[in-house]
Every structure is written in structure tokens, then in C-alpha cells.
Amino acid sequence: MLQIDLISIFPDYLTPLNLSLLGKAQERSLIKIAIHDLRDQTKDVHHSVDDTPYGGGAGMVMSPEPWGKAIDAITNEKDQVDLIILTPAGKRFNQQMAMEFSKKSHLIFACGRYEGIDARVGQYYAGKNNFKVHEVSIGDYVLGGGEVAAMVIIEASTRLIPGVLGNPESLKEESHSISSDDLILVEYPNYTKPANWRGIDVPEVLLSGNHGQIAKWRLEQAERRTNQLKQE
Ligand code: SAM
């Protein structure tokens, strides 16, 4: 079972994690999700989790100690932990990373806010034998916080865990998966009934029943779409 912990100052933001496939995967004990409020680790009346940046500049930086306490509270020395720090300055998330995370036993997501988390948090846990630290971005843009980014990563990673998807066949031939020829392609276009919709026909080959021709057409379409994306 994959244990997933999320730490945030907006735990309510993460409630969609209990819906749909992820909700069912928790009911079936394939994954376990726990959401933690970073402010629970503060003692002052204002429950402050941020301070002004050393070196000056705009905005506030998240202080390291509440993060350290929150992470220590949910781990022990025997635990093999992958700590994912969400940041637009991290490595870009992709399907290969989703596959890597889906095979882990304990993921912790640190959802930043303000100008981000004091850099020593990642540095400290990277120095611990039982931790692997990943700084991850979900794309080249800046969000207000890491919660949505964490949900993107969790949804993409957990659906790859055997048993989470109702039909595991859906994972075959998906966009961004490596094909038998070591190629990474996006998927071919999909169609369902009716065969003619608002004057537009479904490509004839898909109605032919000829599986060889259909497979050939789909591969060509996947290559065409992939090449088109590269040119844009
Ligand atoms: N000052 C930071 C910078 O320029 O790199 C941006 C901080 S952002 C306003 C606040 C938080 O949102 C970050 O700490 C991170 O957790 C999250 N975040 C923003 N954009 C993200 C992205 N593209 N991928 C992952 N997390 C992101």
C-alpha cells in the first residue's frame, strides 16, 4: 500500500483527493492519504509559518521549523520516504516520474505558499539516509500554492498502481507512455457512436473490423499528432 501524506496551510484545498478513483482506491486500501495542517506545528498565537526573506526582496518565505516538525511527526528512521517539494523551480513532472512515484511506499508532498519554503528543508532531508528529496514542478508557470500541483502528481501517479483503474487495459497505448519501439507518442484520436455526428463521419477504417488496418491507422495518427505538437 502506498502511504501519501500532504502538508499544507490550506488542508481543505485538498479534499477532492477523497473523490472518484482516489476515494475508491483508499476504500480498497490500495493507497492511504493523510492531510496535515502545517499550522498545527506552530506555538505562537498567530500560528505563523512565514518570515521576511534574508537578503531582502518582496514577499514572505515559509520558515523551516514548522516543516521540520511536520515531516518528523509523520516519519521514522525505518521509513523509506520520498519527499516531494512542489516548486516552479523544480524538475518538470512527466509520465516517467508518475511511474516512478507509483512504485514508492511513502510519498510526502510539501505544498508551499508565499515565496516558497526555506531551501534548508530540502537540504536537511536530502542528507538523511532514509529520505529521497525531489523538487518537482508541474509546468513552466507559477501557481499560488503547491496544493493543485500535488493533486496533479497524485492523480497521475496513483492511477498507475495495479488495481486502481477498473480496466488496466486503459493504461496501454496511452499518451506519453513508451511504446514497444521506445517512442513516446500521444494517443490517436478516439471516437464512439453515432458513426455520423453533425455531418462528421467516424474514419471508415475504424468501422472495418480489420484489426491490423486499425492498429496501423492508429499508429500513424499517434505519430502525426506527436510530430504536430513538436512543430508548435
Ligand atoms: N517564489 C517562487 C518562485 O518564483 O519560484 C514561487 C512561489 S509560488 C507563488 C508558491 C508555491 O506554489 C510554491 O512554493 C510551490 O509550492 C507552488 N507552485 C507554484 N507554481 C508551481 C509549479 N509550477 N509547480 C509546482 N508547484 C508550484
Side-chain angles (χ1 to χ4, degrees):
M1 191 195 50
L2 168 61
Q3 168 75 40
I4 300 172
D5 288 285
L6 298 106
I7 307 166
S8 160
I9 55 167
F10 293 117
D12 290 347
Y13 222 98
L14 296 160
T15 48
L17 287 171
N18 293 322
L19 302 174
S20 184
L21 271 185
L22 287 169
K24 289 204 184 91
Q26 289 180 80
E27 280 165 25
R28 282 189 256 133
S29 300
L30 295 167
I31 59 175
K32 191 168 171 217
I33 299 179
I35 300 166
H36 310 274
D37 189 342
L38 183 71
R39 292 197 197 276
D40 289 348
Q41 305 300 334
T42 57
K43 286 204 184 98
D44 62 304
V45 271
H46 301 295
H47 296 288
S48 346
V49 290
D50 58 332
D51 213 327
T52 51
Y54 275 121
M60 300 294 270
V61 175
M62 297 191 98
S63 315
E65 188 53 11
W67 285 102
K69 282 185 176 163
I71 296 166
D72 291 349
I74 52 177
T75 54
N76 61 56
E77 299 293 320
K78 290 184 223 132
D79 221 8
Q80 269 306 316
V81 181
D82 286 78
L83 172 63
I84 299 167
I85 300 179
L86 285 325
T87 162
K91 189 172 168 192
R92 180 104 59 88
F93 182 64
N94 62 21
Q95 190 71 8
Q96 279 65 52
M97 284 162 92
M99 184 54 85
E100 183 194 338
F101 293 152
S102 75
K103 294 175 182 155
K104 303 289 186 182
S105 57
H106 191 180
L107 302 176
I108 298 180
F109 289 86
C111 307
R113 283 269 156 182
Y114 315 122
E115 293 306 322
I117 303 169
D118 188 305
R120 289 167 294 181
V121 174
Q123 200 183 330
Y124 174 80
Y125 288 99
K128 292 186 78 117
N129 285 337
N130 58 328
F131 271 78
K132 190 165 178 203
V133 176
H134 312 257
E135 289 195 332
V136 184
S137 162
I138 60 160
D140 296 343
Y141 41 78
V142 179
L143 300 164
E147 291 77 10
V148 171
M151 287 194 280
V152 166
I153 295 171
I154 292 169
E155 184 158 317
S157 306
T158 52
R159 67 190 287 284
L160 301 175
I161 297 172
V164 169
L165 279 192
N167 182 1
E169 288 293 306
S170 312
L171 295 176
K172 288 188 186 162
E173 297 186 1
E174 269 196 327
S175 295
H176 308 298
S177 303
I178 299 173
S179 76
S180 49
D181 300 329
D182 265 7
L183 289 170
I184 297 179
L185 300 173
V186 296
E187 200 183 46
Y188 46 79
N190 286 299
Y191 300 87
T192 185
K193 294 179 191 71
N196 180 287
W197 180 73
R198 298 192 178 183
I200 308 171
D201 285 327
V202 167
E204 221 175 298
V205 63
L206 298 178
L207 309 175
S208 69
N210 183 330
H211 296 298
Q213 286 297 318
I214 293 172
K216 184 169 169 276
W217 180 86
R218 284 181 165 166
L219 179 61
E220 283 164 8
Q221 293 295 314
E223 286 170 351
R224 178 188 60 77
R225 282 176 131 188
T226 308
N227 289 332
Q228 199 173 322
L229 279 174
K230 277 188 199 148
Q231 281 157 21
E232 279 170 9

